[in-house]
């Protein structure tokens, strides 16, 4: 009769497999950013990213709130290779006035109990890190922060929901003057997994089956779209008690489940928990017995007051009645105490009811746990998996048959998993301490990383100072009496005009400034349908030529020109030529340029102090195949300004932010003391890369900048360029990574052979690593290409290092540019300046954040200037051709 009556509580393996599939679908829903808001199983990230590995050590406090008692622990963890720990605990009651009162009272009570515990253990004068085990669903955005989503387990404390419980605990501890540092918030399930992880490193699932029920497990980061990053794993607190709150289990819920739910403190919520946790099973048995009695199936139809009283039958009664040998005598004794006076048949029937109710609980728990184990196995792409489940909770521990039933059903549902069930002896306290130990280590590591990177974070005051010093250096370079000793040389370019639209003809342009050399044929049309057509070929310059003799370098350039002329079929034509030469030159006219000094890795001998135009002419003569009319020698910055000036007449500044860093701008002739004449304007090539060579920015140079400088081809020179240009940023990052690794903060303290190689960390890696679209798994791949075996945390730190180095470069570049635009505004004597900056360079073009940070800095430091940034699409080669065309036009006008 009982079997027939309770058939809905009996679940077949097919039904359990279906529950398992439903739970798996809910897990996926809970992990997705878009689907999480409507998911009942919230899959809350815990920010616990690893299991105990034996390196944890120290003296910790832990407090545990969530059951009928509040617990305070002192946990000593020993890094002795055995992962041993020592636990001292004290239990405090949690009175109803605390669990049903207000938030201030609750946290005062916790702080009071902890203070008492510290007093008892003589810990008042020690500052200890604390882990807070809080067994209720919390949304965490970091390890030491958690916003309570909802109370469960009969707790109903006012004013706590939707607030950060760690913040509330800290306030209460401050009030009690408790010398404690709260470092981690841990769910009891997570604490259980971590505690068992000390005994078995395979433990990657935590399970609580007691007053409440819940599970956690280690999920792959790539599946957790609620948290940034896709490398490594993070423990997910499933909060599976709410499974079915959306009606997903309605077909399995009986009339008794519905009645129990309606009489609970939270109707319609935690429906799965109400079907399996010990808080509700006794009440479920009472409701079944009550109905059976009313229908005359038990106790001769006599309903006692006990059967009508909610909560009269508890889980301890159910456990006692199910005991192996004394079950029937226990049943008779318990029922008699409840004034039910049972017959032998009544005792057998009641015992059977208890068995069916607790068996259903174990079955449902097994189905959800089997879903988690299947997911773990699939994540690892294994056909068969060995793993351990750490378990705690009164139902599992005290019920005589529950554990065996659960194990048996799990193994039947997931035959591909060899599961060990490990009972948590010390509760979640040791686990909370383990998490706190990890957090303590991370906090220490974080402080040391912050201290290393702090010198790169330039506040606005420092940037204003850099702007002011750059402005002073610009003035020194323009004045006759200080120009010789000025570091910012302010070289006149003899480019005095910008395109006016009448330029036309065919021009050759050469562009030398990096490891590649370009030869271009530029056809300029004037009039209404004015246009510029370009044909170009790129040639490599080998390192041995960059650092060989001047004669070899210019012979190589002429060889490239010859190849290009032949390729274009114009070898016999004598074309006007503009030479973009992206190195500091002192010019006496537009077609004469004396090299002041090599930069950007060039070191060709017998060139410095020589006229590069003459060296080019001599190389052409030596080859004796063609002749060219070299009209202008142009810096790449000037070429960029002219290219953009062809499109926008308001463009009077050129900026290169690439392998090198430089700026040119149109200066009033009256301010250029080193050139005769006061009328009109002339373009000044600032050569600002040498800013700071006199020590004026030494206070912002870091030890890494000094190491990069000392290891460069030109120590002590181009100091500003070495902090802002693409040629050096990767090397600065490499030096920082070496230092952090030496400190044991990266790559497990192991400096790989590749990391020791100068230049291995190219600036293009910064652009790739800092790309917003590039997740941490891809960052790790880039590091692996460099021979660096990184963890998830390593990848995050490397990304951060790249970020501070490139951001500082953009901010410093912005400070320099702000000095230039402010000078132009004052030159014009206007309240507000509108000006366009023509920009070229791979750092500006390819880095995901450089251009934005640079522009924001200029706006911040020069608020009275409306600066438009215009990207030079065709590079400085087109500019060289336009300057040549302008020079030809002006020359022809002069002749007429």
């Amino acid at each position: 009769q009982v079997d027939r009556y309770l058939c809905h509580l009996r679940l077949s393996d097919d039904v359990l497999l279906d529950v398992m599939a439903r739970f798996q679908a809910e897990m996926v829903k809970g992990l997705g950013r878009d689907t999480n808001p409507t998911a009942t199983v919230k899959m809350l990230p815990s920010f616990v990213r690893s299991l105990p590995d034996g390196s944890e050590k120290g003296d910790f406090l832990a407090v545990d709130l969530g059951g009928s008692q509040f617990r305070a622990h002192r946990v000593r963890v020993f890094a002795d290779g055995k992962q041993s720990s020592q636990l001292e605990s004290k239990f405090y009651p949690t009175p109803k006035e605390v669990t049903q009162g207000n938030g201030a009272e609750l946290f005062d009570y916790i702080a009071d109990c902890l203070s008492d515990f510290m007093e008892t253990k003589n810990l008042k004068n020690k500052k200890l890190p604390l882990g807070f085990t809080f067994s209720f669903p919390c949304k965490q955005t970091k390890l030491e922060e958690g916003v309570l989503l909802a109370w469960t387990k009969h707790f109903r404390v006012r004013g706590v929901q939707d607030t950060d419980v760690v913040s509330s605990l800290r306030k209460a501890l401050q009030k009690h003057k408790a010398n404690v540092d709260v470092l981690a918030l841990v769910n009891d399930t997570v604490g259980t997994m971590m505690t068992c992880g000390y005994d078995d490193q395979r433990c990657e699932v935590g399970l609580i089956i007691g007053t409440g029920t819940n599970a956690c497990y280690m999920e792959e980061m790539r599946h957790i779209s609620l948290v940034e990053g896709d490398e490594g794993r993070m423990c997910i607190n499933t909060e599976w008690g709410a499974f079915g709150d959306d009606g997903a289990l309605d077909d399995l819920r009986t009339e008794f489940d519905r009645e129990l739910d309606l009489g609970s403190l939270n109707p319609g919520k935690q429906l799965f928990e109400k079907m399996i946790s010990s808080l509700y099973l006794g009440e479920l048995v009472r409701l079944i017995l009550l109905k059976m009695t009313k229908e005359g199936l038990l106790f001769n139809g006599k309903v006692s007051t006990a059967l009508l009283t909610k909560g009269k039958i508890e889980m301890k009664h159910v456990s006692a009645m199910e005991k192996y040998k004394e079950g029937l005598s226990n049943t008779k004794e318990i029922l008699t105490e409840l004034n039910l006076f049972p017959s032998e048949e009544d005792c057998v029937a009641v015992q059977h009811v208890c068995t069916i109710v607790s068996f259903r609980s174990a079955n449902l728990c097994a189905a959800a746990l089997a879903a988690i184990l299947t997911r773990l196995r699939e994540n690892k792409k294994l056909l068969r998996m060995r793993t351990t489940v750490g378990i705690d909770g009164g139902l599992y521990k005290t019920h005589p048959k529950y554990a065996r039933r659960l194990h048996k059903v799990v193994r039947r549902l997931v035959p591909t998993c060899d599961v060990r069930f490990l009972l948590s002896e010390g509760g979640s306290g040791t686990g909370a301490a383990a998490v706190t130990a990890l957090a303590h280590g991370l906090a220490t590591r974080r402080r040391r990383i912050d201290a290393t990177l702090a010198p790169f974070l330039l506040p606005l005051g420092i940037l204003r100072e850099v702007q002011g010093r750059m402005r002073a250096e610009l003035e020194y370079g323009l004045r006759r009496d200080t120009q010789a000793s000025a570091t910012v040389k302010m070289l006149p370019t003899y480019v005095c005009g910008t395109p006016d639209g009448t330029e036309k003809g065919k021009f050759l342009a050469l562009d030398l400034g990096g490891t590649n050399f370009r030869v271009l044929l530029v056809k300029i049309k004037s009039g209404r349908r004015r246009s510029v057509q370009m044909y170009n070929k790129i040639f490599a310059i080998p390192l041995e030529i960059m650092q060989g003799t001047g004669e070899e370098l210019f012979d190589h350039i002429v060889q490239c020109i010859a190849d290009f002329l032949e390729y274009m079929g114009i070898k016999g034509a004598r074309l006007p030529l503009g030479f973009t030469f992206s190195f500091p030159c002192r010019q006496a006219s537009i077609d004469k340029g004396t090299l002041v000094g090599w930069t950007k890795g060039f070191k060709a001998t017998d060139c410095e102090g020589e006229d590069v135009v003459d060296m080019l002419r001599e190389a052409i003569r030596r080859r004796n195949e063609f002749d060219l009319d070299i009209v202008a020698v142009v810096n790449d910055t000037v070429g960029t300004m002219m290219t953009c000036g062809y499109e926008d007449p308001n463009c009077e500044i050129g900026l290169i932010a690439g392998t090198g860093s430089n700026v040119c701008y149109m200066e009033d002739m009256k301010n250029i003391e080193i050139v005769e004449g006061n009328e009109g304007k002339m373009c000044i090539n600032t050569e600002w890369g040498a800013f700071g060579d006199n020590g004026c920015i030494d206070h912002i140079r870091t030890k890494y900048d000094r190491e990069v400088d000392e290891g460069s081809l030109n120590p002590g020179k181009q100091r500003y360029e070495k902090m802002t240009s693409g040629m050096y940023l990767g090397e600065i990052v490499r030096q920082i990574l070496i230092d952090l690794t030496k400190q044991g903060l990266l790559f497990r303290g192991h400096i790989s052979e590749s990391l020791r190689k100068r230049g291995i960390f190219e600036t293009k890696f910064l652009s790739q690593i800092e790309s917003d679209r590039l997740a941490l798994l891809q960052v790790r791949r880039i590091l692996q290409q460099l021979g660096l075996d990184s963890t998830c945390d390593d990848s995050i730190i490397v990304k951060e290092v790249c970020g501070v180095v490139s951001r500082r470069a953009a901010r410093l570049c912005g400070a320099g540019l702000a000095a230039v635009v402010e000078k132009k505004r004052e030159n014009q004597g206007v309240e507000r300046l509108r000006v366009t900056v023509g920009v070229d360079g791979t750092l500006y073009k390819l880095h995901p954040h450089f251009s934005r940070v640079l522009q924001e800095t200029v706006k911040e430091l020069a608020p009275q200037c409306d600066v438009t940034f215009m990207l030079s699409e065709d590079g400085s080669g087109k500019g060289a051709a336009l300057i040549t065309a302008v020079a030809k036009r002006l020359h022809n006008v002069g002749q007429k």
Side-chain angles (χ1 to χ4, degrees), residues 437-451:
L438 291 167
H440 187 59
L442 286 172
T444 306
R445 185 188 194 195
R446 183 71 259 166
R447 281 195 295 273
R448 288 169 66 191
I449 291 167
D450 287 347

Side-chain angles (χ1 to χ4, degrees), residues 164-176:
D164 175 20
V165 295
V166 175
S167 178
S168 300
L169 178 60
R170 280 180 178 145
K171 280 177 196 162
L173 290 168
Q174 279 169 2
K175 203 164 122 188
H176 282 70

Side-chain angles (χ1 to χ4, degrees), residues 42-71:
K42 284 300 177 192
M43 305 295 283
L44 302 171
S46 68
F47 291 83
V48 172
R49 294 174 186 268
S50 56
L51 296 159
D53 63 2
S55 65
E56 302 79 19
K57 60 179 178 180
D59 205 348
F60 303 96
L61 290 172
V63 291
D64 191 343
L65 180 75
S68 54
Q69 290 181 312
F70 170 74
R71 293 178 290 179

Side-chain angles (χ1 to χ4, degrees), residues 246-453:
D246 58 352
L249 296 175
D250 279 3
D251 56 328
L252 300 179
R253 290 172 72 225
T254 64
E255 60 181 298
F256 308 112
D257 293 309
R258 290 188 179 86
E259 193 177 340
L260 180 147
D261 177 41
L262 287 170
S264 69
L265 284 169
N266 55 350
K269 292 181 178 174
Q270 298 294 110
L271 297 182
F272 188 61
E273 183 167 84
K274 285 168 186 170
M275 294 168 84
I276 62 174
S277 84
S278 64
L279 190 61
Y280 301 99
L281 294 192
E283 181 61 8
L284 198 58
V285 167
R286 183 189 72 82
L287 291 170
I288 293 167
L289 298 183
L290 176 61
K291 187 168 183 189
M292 288 175 76
T293 307
K294 281 179 177 177
E295 293 185 9
L297 296 172
L298 286 175
F299 314 125
N300 296 319
K302 289 178 185 173
V303 178
S304 72
T305 313
L307 275 185
L308 292 167
T309 308
K310 186 180 169 185
K312 201 68 181 173
I313 296 178
E314 297 174 37
M315 193 62 222
K316 64 182 180 183
H317 299 134
V318 177
S319 295
M321 288 190 275
E322 279 200 78
K323 279 196 176 158
Y324 294 94
K325 289 178 182 171
E326 50 296 27
L328 275 178
S329 59
N330 284 350
T331 304
K332 186 163 188 171
E333 194 179 312
I334 290 162
L335 295 174
T336 304
E337 280 174 17
L338 296 170
N339 295 318
L340 290 165
F341 309 110
S343 65
E344 196 73 26
E345 289 81 5
D346 289 337
C347 289
V348 171
V350 169
Q351 193 180 43
H352 203 49
V353 168
C354 291
T355 299
I356 289 171
V357 166
S358 61
F359 217 126
R360 185 186 70 157
S361 165
N363 278 339
L364 287 170
C365 189
L369 181 58
I372 288 173
L373 293 167
T374 303
R375 184 170 178 87
L376 269 174
R377 184 181 61 77
E378 288 171 356
N379 280 350
K380 293 178 180 183
K381 298 183 172 66
L382 294 173
L383 292 174
R384 191 167 195 88
M385 177 182 77
R386 282 183 69 193
T387 192
T388 299
V389 176
I391 306 191
D392 200 359
L395 181 55
Y396 184 88
K397 284 178 173 177
T398 60
H399 190 283
K401 300 175 183 177
Y402 197 96
R404 192 162 54 84
R405 286 172 186 164
L406 177 73
H407 300 172
K408 202 171 175 182
V409 180
V410 167
R411 287 178 179 132
R412 209 163 62 234
L413 294 176
V414 278
T416 51
C417 294
D418 300 318
V419 188
R420 179 190 180 205
F421 292 87
L422 182 61
L423 193 61
S424 167
E425 297 298 340
S428 56
T430 306
V435 175
T436 309
L438 291 167
H440 187 59
L442 286 172
T444 306
R445 185 188 194 195
R446 183 71 259 166
R447 281 195 295 273
R448 288 169 66 191
I449 291 167
D450 287 347
T452 301
L453 300 182

Side-chain angles (χ1 to χ4, degrees), residues 610-738:
E610 299 295 326
D611 182 351
V612 294
V613 176
D614 284 347
M615 293 185 82
L616 180 60
R617 282 188 181 124
E618 280 170 28
I620 291 169
R621 270 199 299 274
R622 275 198 299 277
R623 192 169 181 91
N624 199 25
E625 280 183 23
F626 53 84
D627 196 14
L628 297 170
D629 177 15
I630 304 170
V631 174
V633 62
V634 182
N635 182 273
D636 56 344
T637 327
V638 184
T640 296
M641 183 189 77
M642 292 296 274
T643 300
C644 295
Y646 188 71
E647 309 294 334
D648 179 354
N650 213 25
C651 182
E652 292 205 329
I653 301 173
L655 168 67
I656 298 287
T659 313
S661 176
N662 195 15
V663 153
C664 71
Y665 71 102
M666 296 302 289
E667 178 59 88
D668 293 355
M669 282 291 288
K670 62 177 185 286
N671 296 330
I672 312 170
E673 293 183 8
I674 50 178
V675 176
E676 293 299 318
N678 287 328
E679 292 304 309
K681 294 179 180 181
M682 182 184 286
C683 182
I684 290 289
N685 166 20
T686 65
E687 283 300 336
W688 77 2
F691 174 49
D693 287 4
N694 58 359
C696 71
I697 55 170
D698 276 4
H699 62 299
I700 62 166
R701 289 173 77 228
T702 65
K703 63 178 180 177
Y704 312 108
D705 295 309
R706 286 190 278 276
E707 281 162 3
V708 168
D709 179 34
E710 284 159 16
S712 69
L713 288 169
N714 53 351
K717 292 180 180 175
Q718 300 295 108
R719 289 181 179 177
Y720 182 64
E721 183 168 76
K722 285 169 185 168
M723 295 166 84
T724 56
S725 79
M727 184 161 186
Y728 301 97
L729 298 190
E731 184 60 15
I732 296 171
V733 167
R734 187 184 75 89
Q735 293 291 349
I736 298 169
L737 298 186
I738 286 174

